[in-house]
Amino acid sequence: MAGNTFGTLFRITTFGESHGPLIGVVIDGCYSGVPLDLDLIRTQLSRRRPGQSAITTQRMEDDEPEIVSGVINGITTGTPLTIIIRNKDQRPVDYDVLRDAYRPSHADYTYEKKYCIRDHRGSGRASARETAARVAAGAVAMQMLKVVNISVNAYVSRVGNVSIPENTSIDTTQTYNNILRCPHEATALLMQRKIEETAQTGDTLGGIISCIISGVPAGLGEPVFDKFHAQLGKAMLSINAVKGFEIGSGFFGSSQTGSQQNDVFETDKNGKVFTTTNNSGGVQGGITNGMDITFNVAFKPVSTLMKSQQSINTQKQKVIIQPGGRHDVCVVPRATPIVEAMAAITTLDFLMIANAAKLH
Amino acid sequence: MAGNTFGTLFRITTFGESHGPLIGVVIDGCYSGVPLDLDLIRTQLSRRRPGQSAITTQRMEDDEPEIVSGVINGITTGTPLTIIIRNKDQRPVDYDVLRDAYRPSHADYTYEKKYCIRDHRGSGRASARETAARVAAGAVAMQMLKVVNISVNAYVSRVGNVSIPENTSIDTTQTYNNILRCPHEATALLMQRKIEETAQTGDTLGGIISCIISGVPAGLGEPVFDKFHAQLGKAMLSINAVKGFEIGSGFFGSSQTGSQQNDVFETDKNGKVFTTTNNSGGVQGGITNGMDITFNVAFKPVSTLMKSQQSINTQKQKVIIQPGGRHDVCVVPRATPIVEAMAAITTLDFLMIANAAKLH
Amino acid sequence: MAGNTFGTLFRITTFGESHGPLIGVVIDGCYSGVPLDLDLIRTQLSRRRPGQSAITTQRMEDDEPEIVSGVINGITTGTPLTIIIRNKDQRPVDYDVLRDAYRPSHADYTYEKKYCIRDHRGSGRASARETAARVAAGAVAMQMLKVVNISVNAYVSRVGNVSIPENTSIDTTQTYNNILRCPHEATALLMQRKIEETAQTGDTLGGIISCIISGVPAGLGEPVFDKFHAQLGKAMLSINAVKGFEIGSGFFGSSQTGSQQNDVFETDKNGKVFTTTNNSGGVQGGITNGMDITFNVAFKPVSTLMKSQQSINTQKQKVIIQPGGRHDVCVVPRATPIVEAMAAITTLDFLMIANAAKLH
Amino acid sequence: MAGNTFGTLFRITTFGESHGPLIGVVIDGCYSGVPLDLDLIRTQLSRRRPGQSAITTQRMEDDEPEIVSGVINGITTGTPLTIIIRNKDQRPVDYDVLRDAYRPSHADYTYEKKYCIRDHRGSGRASARETAARVAAGAVAMQMLKVVNISVNAYVSRVGNVSIPENTSIDTTQTYNNILRCPHEATALLMQRKIEETAQTGDTLGGIISCIISGVPAGLGEPVFDKFHAQLGKAMLSINAVKGFEIGSGFFGSSQTGSQQNDVFETDKNGKVFTTTNNSGGVQGGITNGMDITFNVAFKPVSTLMKSQQSINTQKQKVIIQPGGRHDVCVVPRATPIVEAMAAITTLDFLMIANAAKLH
């Protein structure tokens, strides 16, 4: 654990800060010989990007991925694939007001306690800007997974207290039809209204992203400590603002009985084994069972408010944090590609580990 | 990720199965010169052990930890501490009935898909017996943490749909007063009744364990991927039957606004910084802020029912799984020492990593 | 790096000390479904064991491997295979004389500086007894490699200043014909005489073990830091008393010219690519090229002499270390199975990593 | 092991290729609050750079390190320090002639067997260009070590068959006085003559770099698999063209007797423990003993000759590799900063791990 690297065989190391010249990612363990689809990387980056719509910040980053290594004539070479994204939008924001203050529920105080020094310009390494590098790497992982028919689809299932109604059947092809990234159109409208109302008060919202990984073969995951959902949970909890993770029926399931929760095995007419319910979320005993992997990720509300807040500064004096700049009321819709990225990276890593264990 | 090892500097590797002669754990990274308190290890093991009370199984394991290496004259040498626990209770259970059947929501099917072979006797490595080794290692970690005044206290906050009422103040010294491991006596009684009622129906229950890590200095955790709560979440999700993890206000917090959730910094009369609320659960930006670390862990109901269930076998024929032996209706109370163990191991590892980064 | 674990996918963790009840090894990443040949483990252990012959110590350890987990009906289950070996020969040696003294070139002083406490009984974790656990794990790895026709053969090529003559062709099937583990009989006799002469003076000898890994496919090893021979070198240098490692023509090759050293590619009549020489030792750019992997490992002479030596004690007073017990004059012949073990473990790990990278 | 990352707490990940826009390194685990000396990084890079003198290639790379993250106002923030170096010298070399041929003893054949595709332009990731990133990271590590008075000094002790005479006392402050990086002036002249003579024949040379790490406290290194010199050996063997590593008296010592090799402990007048000889090279039982760490690294001769060589191509046809461009006859002098870099990185990592184990 040294912070910037994730994964064992398919392994990413992200680098850079929002206030340097660039950010990027080194991707170890790419399959060789795969045509790299830069447009998919661009698409995923654009979905994460601030300033995409009325409900997000106006800052335009225009994240263009540049391949630095690992590709020849558009084909992966198997050696590490490095992608950089230049930081173009470095407007001279007045960060001096933040030099001494500890913004509530930000990483200001904790980074200073950890390092005794802090980069107050845009949060340094704690900035959500880092997640763009994850999204680029995730888009690469998604391409590798596509070859073996595994797909990853995240969507917003709750904003504030507005949720998709229970037992609604979800069609993830509809997710990107609206800016809320909510495949249920009626709920998306309610979410948008909730965000607009909250914006009026200068306040912010959190929410939940749900995700489905389809096509995962049975048998992925390692016993004991490296269970599939343990590593997946770590992947999700490492995303900025995430405070909770659950697989399958999760917290709700823990209030039910065994007979309500147990997933009954059956065989379809082609002899394929399936379970009649999927409360397990596709993982049993830490190993995938061939059903969809389903999980939820809880994001806390944005800590930066558009109204003043009380806090203290480095001299332990009381200060008032004044709102400045323009910030998202709710970042959850922009986080769907991040969830997809971390899910794809985790799944591909487990797939490679499983392949390693086969006698060839 | 190869399954049996957890941690970076304070690192444990567990071994053994319920049907071999012994299980055990190798603990890397112990501080040297610390008197080892075997009784604490025994106490924690006894709290995990089946057969402790009317609400748990009658099997008596009598888990006696034996030190194999790393201790001289009762003092840790700093070299790896190995503890074994012999498996004494190997009654000739008739496991043959389970040889071919896939029990619902167990690891039978997934292990067989992963390994093409399966140890049907007591689930092999997927058995909860493995967690005894974690508990032993956790008790060692707790002793090391005690030296620097860090303590870990887990308790049962929900069984089935019976929860400690919201906003109840918790006194964790009361946790082990009752067999429910619930520090709120009135709730413990309701939980016990719930378990007894459920037992009548042959069904089982899950629940939630809450945990508080106190005394953790600000500054633990690594940026980006190895955030404190990301690794802690992985630790918890690696425990058998766990399906969810949340830190601080977690899922509930994601439905609130920023102004409800943000924790305001203040300074007490001694100049110590604290936050007036602790919705962050002691972690901000992935790094501890000096407040209590608070988190919840969701356990699914026990998969083994005391009533018959439909399933299939390895020949994909329909079979009925008949209840056999005697099993816990709810294992959550016995899992508190496991949660404490994994929390202590994770915290100590981060503490060591943080110490490493100080210029000496 | 926490000391007791080696490898990524095929990964071993050894545990125990010579003065505890047992030592052992946890092996992660075994292929499932492989019949386990206990006799091969026994054979390799017997080759490492002290007391095998006139030239080694008389202590009989009788190392019997016991399978603790990971095997059912003699077949590997894929879950971690744990092997223990009980320490039977715990005669009440008078270790008190060693309690305070730092034996020259032993680990006494360094362990005490590292840990501030030291297990003086048989060197604790620094004891060569630990290598028995490696040998057991190595014998498992060798069985897995055998399935894909990879074999590992180590032999003694030098004892003190007695070497196999240059350009002697080696037949490794002859290695275990003599107790020197030297496949060249005439040299073995000279080595034995050298050992006997040295024994007369109370002195000790080191030597060189050479090793050949055959049947390794081209393409194993990772770029940059995890080159095949870099990890192999680490594996060898981790063996007690090893002070040097070279692959192919190694140090000698560094005194030659490029045209002398370069290995010319040709194709045999079956179209198989080979090199006319093998100065590279089977590795080019850190990746195997399909030729035999050949390397040498330098062992320093045994530090425990049969004559008195000057040293200091923990109070920094001068002391004389008196010879005690009976020790090997030269341990190199007994180290061949250790070299084979570490070579097999390293190769199998790289093989699994390479398999992981193939699109399936 | 996924190739591009080295170290546990002080950990580097290098990225980029000689034919992309840039190369770089992410450095995890920097101490915070240390003023970064860019000039030291530049100095070390200039020592590695081709084209520095008559005996090296004429290509000028002008390696300018750019800090991308981890520094504010010239002070390290503790968060990952990223350095990039742009590739300026991308002249349109005609690499097409190399597209199909396997150059002898290069990584052409092995990379193609591993990845089924190969970047023939400048060897892709196998290019020695990658080592510039290591040198930059090493210069950062050297600065951190300087704070605790640890220094690393490498020098050329042999070129071809020209060596510094045995028992010559070495003054490493003289190393950079000549372009051979040999602190013994008379030997440096002989080496230069040897290189010039060899250049006439179109041939190349290898050699040996010796290195001394001074000021290392006793107690660094981990038991069993992560011995100080095992990891150090891996670090060295990961450098391009390295085929051997030995610590202390290494291979030579293995031909001596125990009484010749054992290092006798004594105490100086200040009560400081030392050994009267240092055949151990500062490491005993895998742990440092406070003496200088001394080791040798063997480099094979450059594989690219200035004369034609026979080989085969991807169609397995015989081809003649014609000399092209201008290449170093001997790269060993330029490799001293690489050896220093890897030694510094390894030592700092162990220092941090040792600090982690202290109770604070």
Side-chain angles (χ1 to χ4, degrees):
Chain A
M1 289 198 301
N4 301 289
T5 300
F6 188 80
T8 297
L9 295 185
F10 188 83
R11 179 150 71 162
I12 68 169
T13 301
T14 66
F15 56 91
E17 296 165 354
S18 58
H19 280 70
L22 53 84
I23 62 167
V25 62
V26 185
I27 310 172
D28 259 315
C30 281
Y31 292 120
S32 62
V34 178
L36 191 71
D37 180 354
L38 261 176
D39 280 339
L40 178 58
I41 303 177
R42 282 190 195 104
T43 299
Q44 291 294 91
L45 284 173
S46 74
R47 287 167 172 175
R48 192 210 71 91
R49 202 177 55 193
Q52 328 167 35
S53 76
I55 66 160
T56 60
T57 62
Q58 296 308 313
R59 194 152 44 98
M60 286 297 296
E61 284 180 9
D62 187 19
D63 289 331
E64 176 63 20
E66 294 173 49
I67 305 299
V68 161
S69 69
V71 173
I72 183 167
N73 301 329
I75 308 290
T76 58
T77 61
T79 55
L81 204 160
T82 305
I83 303 173
I84 60 171
I85 305 167
R86 293 176 203 271
N87 291 324
K88 295 180 182 167
D89 182 40
Q90 297 184 49
R91 292 177 305 174
V93 176
D94 185 8
Y95 282 108
D96 282 356
V97 298
L98 298 177
R99 188 188 297 275
D100 294 323
Y102 299 132
R103 288 168 297 167
S105 293
H106 269 272
D108 298 344
Y109 177 73
T110 55
Y111 267 57
E112 191 156 305
K113 292 300 279 188
K114 180 173 185 62
Y115 296 116
C116 305
I117 186 174
R118 166 166 61 97
D119 193 337
H120 60 284
R121 304 162 308 177
S123 303
R125 189 70 180 149
S127 162
R129 176 82 182 127
E130 180 272 337
T131 57
R134 304 189 191 200
V135 168
V140 174
M142 288 166 83
Q143 295 180 36
M144 306 282 166
L145 289 174
K146 207 176 184 179
V147 180
V148 289
N149 292 314
I150 297 173
S151 63
V152 180
N153 291 287
Y155 59 92
V156 176
S157 56
R158 200 177 76 196
V159 163
N161 55 10
V162 179
S163 304
I164 298 176
E166 269 181 55
N167 302 319
T168 305
S169 96
I170 300 296
D171 175 2
T172 55
T173 64
Q174 306 302 305
T175 299
Y176 288 97
N177 285 356
N178 61 61
I179 194 61
L180 272 301
R181 310 319 189 193
C182 175
H184 190 249
E185 198 60 33
T187 305
L189 288 170
L190 294 173
M191 288 172 171
Q192 182 148 2
R193 193 174 308 160
K194 178 76 181 177
I195 288 175
E196 287 160 0
E197 285 168 11
T198 306
Q200 299 299 322
T201 67
D203 218 326
T204 60
L205 293 167
I208 293 178
I209 290 180
S210 299
C211 187
I212 301 168
I213 317 176
S214 300
V216 179
L220 304 197
E222 297 299 307
V224 188
F225 297 112
D226 292 320
K227 292 182 164 80
F228 190 95
H229 62 294
Q231 182 71 357
L232 184 65
K234 177 172 180 175
M236 295 304 143
L237 290 157
S238 78
I239 299 172
N240 301 37
V242 170
K243 303 297 273 186
F245 168 86
E246 60 183 3
I247 187 158
S249 59
F251 278 88
F252 170 71
S254 70
S255 68
Q256 290 199 303
T257 63
S259 58
Q260 288 169 318
Q261 277 288 305
N262 278 1
D263 295 317
V264 174
F265 287 109
E266 288 201 3
T267 311
D268 71 13
K269 54 188 172 186
N270 301 316
K272 191 175 150 42
V273 173
F274 69 101
T275 59
T276 55
T277 51
N278 188 16
N279 292 314
S280 301
V283 177
Q284 291 172 330
I287 316 288
T288 58
N289 66 359
M291 300 294 289
D292 282 352
I293 313 289
T294 62
F295 61 93
N296 298 317
V297 185
F299 288 75
K300 70 172 184 175
V302 176
S303 299
T304 303
L305 308 188
M306 292 298 97
K307 54 185 182 182
S308 57
Q309 296 182 84
Q310 184 196 314
S311 192
I312 61 171
N313 64 15
T314 54
Q315 286 77 46
K316 300 188 178 175
Q317 299 158 324
K318 293 205 174 190
V319 293
I320 300 295
I321 309 282
Q322 299 293 355
R326 178 130 197 284
H327 293 273
D328 280 2
V329 171
C330 180
V331 293
V332 180
R334 283 174 43 212
T336 50
I338 312 173
V339 166
E340 288 175 347
M342 295 307 295
I345 288 162
T346 302
T347 303
L348 182 53
D349 197 20
F350 275 118
L351 184 68
M352 295 179 81
I353 291 171
N355 283 340
K358 286 176 189 149
L359 256 173
H360 294 269
Chain B
M1 290 197 300
N4 302 288
T5 299
F6 187 80
T8 298
L9 294 184
F10 188 82
R11 180 150 71 162
I12 68 169
T13 300
T14 66
F15 57 90
E17 295 165 355
S18 58
H19 280 69
L22 53 84
I23 63 167
V25 62
V26 185
I27 310 172
D28 259 313
C30 281
Y31 292 121
S32 61
V34 178
L36 191 71
D37 181 355
L38 261 176
D39 281 339
L40 177 58
I41 303 176
R42 282 191 195 102
T43 298
Q44 291 293 92
L45 284 173
S46 74
R47 288 168 171 174
R48 192 210 71 91
R49 204 179 55 194
Q52 330 165 34
S53 77
I55 65 160
T56 61
T57 61
Q58 297 307 314
R59 194 151 44 97
M60 285 297 297
E61 285 180 9
D62 186 19
D63 289 332
E64 177 63 21
E66 294 174 49
I67 306 299
V68 160
S69 69
V71 174
I72 184 167
N73 301 329
I75 308 289
T76 58
T77 61
T79 56
L81 203 160
T82 305
I83 303 173
I84 60 170
I85 305 167
R86 291 174 204 273
N87 292 324
K88 294 179 183 168
D89 182 41
Q90 296 185 49
R91 292 177 302 175
V93 176
D94 185 8
Y95 282 107
D96 281 356
V97 297
L98 298 176
R99 188 187 298 273
D100 294 323
Y102 300 131
R103 289 168 295 166
S105 292
H106 269 271
D108 298 345
Y109 177 73
T110 55
Y111 267 58
E112 191 155 307
K113 292 300 279 187
K114 181 175 184 62
Y115 297 115
C116 306
I117 187 175
R118 167 166 59 99
D119 193 338
H120 60 283
R121 303 162 308 177
S123 303
R125 188 70 180 150
S127 163
R129 177 82 182 127
E130 180 272 338
T131 57
R134 304 189 190 200
V135 168
V140 173
M142 288 165 84
Q143 295 180 35
M144 306 281 165
L145 289 174
K146 206 177 185 179
V147 180
V148 289
N149 292 314
I150 297 173
S151 63
V152 179
N153 290 287
Y155 59 92
V156 176
S157 57
R158 199 176 78 196
V159 164
N161 55 10
V162 180
S163 303
I164 298 176
E166 269 181 55
N167 300 319
T168 305
S169 95
I170 300 297
D171 175 2
T172 56
T173 64
Q174 308 302 306
T175 299
Y176 288 96
N177 285 357
N178 61 61
I179 193 61
L180 271 301
R181 309 320 189 192
C182 175
H184 190 249
E185 198 60 34
T187 304
L189 288 170
L190 294 173
M191 287 171 172
Q192 181 146 3
R193 192 175 308 161
K194 179 76 183 176
I195 287 174
E196 286 160 1
E197 285 169 11
T198 306
Q200 299 300 320
T201 67
D203 218 326
T204 60
L205 292 168
I208 293 179
I209 291 180
S210 298
C211 186
I212 301 169
I213 317 177
S214 300
V216 179
L220 303 199
E222 297 299 307
V224 187
F225 297 112
D226 293 319
K227 292 182 164 80
F228 190 94
H229 62 294
Q231 182 72 357
L232 183 65
K234 177 172 180 176
M236 295 304 143
L237 290 157
S238 77
I239 299 172
N240 301 37
V242 170
K243 304 296 273 189
F245 167 85
E246 60 182 3
I247 187 158
S249 59
F251 278 88
F252 170 72
S254 70
S255 68
Q256 291 198 303
T257 63
S259 57
Q260 289 169 319
Q261 276 288 304
N262 277 1
D263 295 316
V264 174
F265 286 109
E266 288 201 2
T267 311
D268 71 13
K269 55 189 173 186
N270 301 315
K272 191 175 151 39
V273 173
F274 70 100
T275 58
T276 55
T277 51
N278 188 16
N279 291 314
S280 301
V283 177
Q284 291 172 331
I287 316 288
T288 58
N289 67 357
M291 300 294 290
D292 282 352
I293 313 288
T294 61
F295 61 93
N296 298 318
V297 185
F299 288 76
K300 71 171 185 176
V302 175
S303 299
T304 303
L305 309 188
M306 292 297 96
K307 53 185 183 184
S308 58
Q309 296 183 85
Q310 184 197 313
S311 192
I312 61 170
N313 63 16
T314 55
Q315 286 77 45
K316 300 188 178 175
Q317 299 158 324
K318 292 206 173 191
V319 294
I320 300 295
I321 309 282
Q322 299 293 355
R326 178 132 197 282
H327 293 273
D328 281 2
V329 172
C330 180
V331 292
V332 181
R334 282 174 45 212
T336 50
I338 311 173
V339 167
E340 289 174 348
M342 294 307 295
I345 289 162
T346 302
T347 303
L348 181 53
D349 197 21
F350 275 118
L351 184 68
M352 295 179 83
I353 291 171
N355 283 340
K358 286 177 189 148
L359 257 173
H360 294 267
Chain C
M1 290 197 299
N4 301 289
T5 300
F6 188 81
T8 298
L9 294 184
F10 187 83
R11 179 151 72 163
I12 68 168
T13 300
T14 66
F15 56 91
E17 297 166 355
S18 57
H19 280 70
L22 54 84
I23 63 167
V25 61
V26 186
I27 310 172
D28 258 314
C30 281
Y31 292 120
S32 61
V34 178
L36 192 71
D37 181 355
L38 260 176
D39 281 338
L40 177 59
I41 303 177
R42 282 190 196 104
T43 298
Q44 290 294 91
L45 284 173
S46 74
R47 288 168 172 175
R48 192 211 71 91
R49 204 178 55 192
Q52 330 168 32
S53 77
I55 66 160
T56 60
T57 62
Q58 297 307 315
R59 193 152 44 99
M60 286 297 297
E61 283 182 10
D62 186 19
D63 289 332
E64 177 61 21
E66 295 174 48
I67 306 300
V68 160
S69 69
V71 174
I72 184 168
N73 301 328
I75 308 290
T76 58
T77 61
T79 56
L81 203 160
T82 305
I83 303 174
I84 59 170
I85 304 167
R86 292 176 204 271
N87 292 324
K88 292 179 183 168
D89 182 40
Q90 296 184 51
R91 291 177 303 174
V93 177
D94 186 8
Y95 282 107
D96 281 356
V97 297
L98 298 176
R99 189 187 297 274
D100 294 323
Y102 300 132
R103 287 168 298 166
S105 292
H106 269 273
D108 298 345
Y109 177 73
T110 55
Y111 267 58
E112 190 155 307
K113 292 300 281 187
K114 181 174 183 63
Y115 296 115
C116 306
I117 186 175
R118 167 166 61 96
D119 193 336
H120 60 283
R121 304 162 308 177
S123 303
R125 188 68 181 150
S127 163
R129 177 83 183 126
E130 181 271 338
T131 57
R134 304 189 191 200
V135 168
V140 173
M142 287 165 84
Q143 296 179 36
M144 306 282 166
L145 290 175
K146 207 176 185 179
V147 179
V148 288
N149 291 314
I150 297 173
S151 63
V152 180
N153 290 288
Y155 59 92
V156 176
S157 55
R158 200 175 79 194
V159 164
N161 55 9
V162 180
S163 303
I164 298 177
E166 270 182 54
N167 302 318
T168 305
S169 97
I170 300 297
D171 175 2
T172 56
T173 65
Q174 307 302 307
T175 299
Y176 287 97
N177 285 356
N178 60 62
I179 193 63
L180 270 302
R181 309 321 188 192
C182 175
H184 190 249
E185 197 60 34
T187 305
L189 288 170
L190 293 173
M191 288 172 170
Q192 182 147 3
R193 193 173 309 161
K194 179 76 183 176
I195 288 175
E196 286 160 2
E197 285 168 12
T198 306
Q200 299 300 320
T201 67
D203 218 326
T204 60
L205 293 168
I208 294 178
I209 290 179
S210 299
C211 187
I212 301 168
I213 317 176
S214 299
V216 178
L220 304 198
E222 296 300 306
V224 188
F225 297 112
D226 293 320
K227 293 183 163 81
F228 190 95
H229 62 294
Q231 182 72 356
L232 184 65
K234 177 172 179 175
M236 295 304 142
L237 290 158
S238 78
I239 299 173
N240 301 37
V242 171
K243 302 297 273 188
F245 168 85
E246 59 184 3
I247 186 157
S249 59
F251 277 88
F252 171 71
S254 71
S255 67
Q256 291 198 303
T257 63
S259 58
Q260 288 169 319
Q261 277 288 304
N262 277 1
D263 295 316
V264 174
F265 286 109
E266 288 201 4
T267 310
D268 72 12
K269 54 189 173 187
N270 301 316
K272 190 174 151 45
V273 173
F274 70 101
T275 58
T276 55
T277 51
N278 188 16
N279 291 314
S280 301
V283 177
Q284 292 172 330
I287 316 288
T288 58
N289 67 357
M291 300 293 290
D292 282 352
I293 313 288
T294 61
F295 61 93
N296 297 317
V297 185
F299 288 76
K300 70 171 185 176
V302 175
S303 299
T304 303
L305 308 188
M306 291 298 98
K307 53 186 181 182
S308 58
Q309 296 183 86
Q310 184 196 313
S311 191
I312 60 171
N313 65 14
T314 55
Q315 285 78 46
K316 299 189 179 174
Q317 299 158 325
K318 293 205 174 190
V319 294
I320 301 295
I321 309 283
Q322 299 292 356
R326 176 129 198 284
H327 293 273
D328 281 2
V329 171
C330 180
V331 293
V332 180
R334 284 174 42 211
T336 50
I338 311 173
V339 167
E340 288 174 348
M342 294 307 295
I345 289 162
T346 303
T347 304
L348 181 53
D349 197 20
F350 275 117
L351 184 69
M352 296 180 81
I353 291 171
N355 282 340
K358 288 178 187 147
L359 257 172
H360 295 266
Chain D
M1 291 198 299
N4 301 288
T5 300
F6 187 81
T8 298
L9 295 184
F10 187 82
R11 179 150 71 163
I12 68 168
T13 301
T14 66
F15 56 92
E17 295 165 356
S18 57
H19 280 70
L22 53 84
I23 62 166
V25 60
V26 186
I27 310 172
D28 258 315
C30 282
Y31 292 120
S32 62
V34 178
L36 192 71
D37 180 355
L38 260 177
D39 281 338
L40 177 59
I41 303 176
R42 282 190 196 103
T43 298
Q44 291 294 89
L45 284 173
S46 74
R47 288 169 172 175
R48 191 211 71 91
R49 204 179 55 193
Q52 330 167 32
S53 78
I55 66 161
T56 61
T57 62
Q58 296 308 314
R59 194 152 44 98
M60 286 297 298
E61 284 181 9
D62 186 19
D63 289 332
E64 177 62 21
E66 293 174 49
I67 306 299
V68 160
S69 68
V71 174
I72 183 167
N73 300 328
I75 308 289
T76 58
T77 61
T79 55
L81 203 160
T82 305
I83 303 173
I84 59 169
I85 305 168
R86 291 175 204 272
N87 292 324
K88 293 178 182 169
D89 182 40
Q90 297 184 50
R91 293 177 303 175
V93 178
D94 185 8
Y95 282 107
D96 281 356
V97 297
L98 298 176
R99 189 188 296 275
D100 294 322
Y102 300 131
R103 288 169 296 167
S105 293
H106 269 272
D108 297 344
Y109 177 72
T110 55
Y111 267 58
E112 191 155 307
K113 293 300 279 187
K114 181 174 184 64
Y115 297 115
C116 305
I117 186 174
R118 166 166 61 97
D119 194 337
H120 60 285
R121 304 163 308 177
S123 303
R125 189 69 180 150
S127 163
R129 177 83 183 126
E130 180 271 338
T131 57
R134 304 189 190 200
V135 168
V140 173
M142 287 166 84
Q143 296 180 35
M144 306 281 166
L145 289 174
K146 206 176 184 180
V147 179
V148 288
N149 291 315
I150 296 174
S151 62
V152 180
N153 290 288
Y155 60 92
V156 176
S157 56
R158 200 176 78 196
V159 164
N161 55 9
V162 180
S163 303
I164 298 177
E166 269 182 54
N167 301 319
T168 305
S169 96
I170 300 296
D171 175 2
T172 55
T173 65
Q174 307 302 307
T175 298
Y176 287 96
N177 285 356
N178 60 62
I179 193 62
L180 271 302
R181 309 320 189 193
C182 174
H184 190 248
E185 197 60 34
T187 304
L189 289 170
L190 294 173
M191 288 171 171
Q192 182 147 3
R193 194 173 308 162
K194 179 77 183 176
I195 289 175
E196 287 160 1
E197 285 169 10
T198 305
Q200 300 300 319
T201 67
D203 218 327
T204 59
L205 293 168
I208 293 179
I209 290 179
S210 299
C211 187
I212 302 169
I213 317 176
S214 300
V216 179
L220 304 199
E222 297 299 307
V224 188
F225 297 112
D226 292 320
K227 293 183 163 80
F228 190 94
H229 61 295
Q231 182 71 357
L232 183 65
K234 177 172 180 176
M236 295 305 142
L237 290 157
S238 78
I239 299 172
N240 301 37
V242 171
K243 302 297 273 190
F245 168 86
E246 60 183 3
I247 187 159
S249 58
F251 277 88
F252 170 71
S254 71
S255 67
Q256 291 198 302
T257 63
S259 57
Q260 289 169 318
Q261 277 288 303
N262 277 1
D263 296 316
V264 174
F265 286 109
E266 288 201 3
T267 311
D268 71 13
K269 55 190 174 187
N270 301 316
K272 190 174 149 43
V273 173
F274 70 101
T275 58
T276 55
T277 51
N278 188 17
N279 292 314
S280 301
V283 177
Q284 292 172 332
I287 315 289
T288 58
N289 67 358
M291 300 294 289
D292 281 353
I293 314 289
T294 62
F295 61 93
N296 298 317
V297 185
F299 288 76
K300 71 170 184 177
V302 175
S303 299
T304 302
L305 308 188
M306 292 298 96
K307 54 185 182 184
S308 58
Q309 296 183 84
Q310 185 196 313
S311 191
I312 60 171
N313 64 15
T314 55
Q315 286 78 45
K316 300 189 179 174
Q317 299 158 322
K318 293 206 174 191
V319 293
I320 301 294
I321 309 283
Q322 299 293 354
R326 179 134 197 282
H327 292 274
D328 281 3
V329 172
C330 180
V331 292
V332 181
R334 282 173 45 211
T336 51
I338 312 173
V339 167
E340 288 174 348
M342 295 308 295
I345 289 162
T346 303
T347 303
L348 182 53
D349 197 20
F350 274 118
L351 184 69
M352 296 179 82
I353 291 172
N355 283 340
K358 288 177 187 148
L359 257 172
H360 294 266

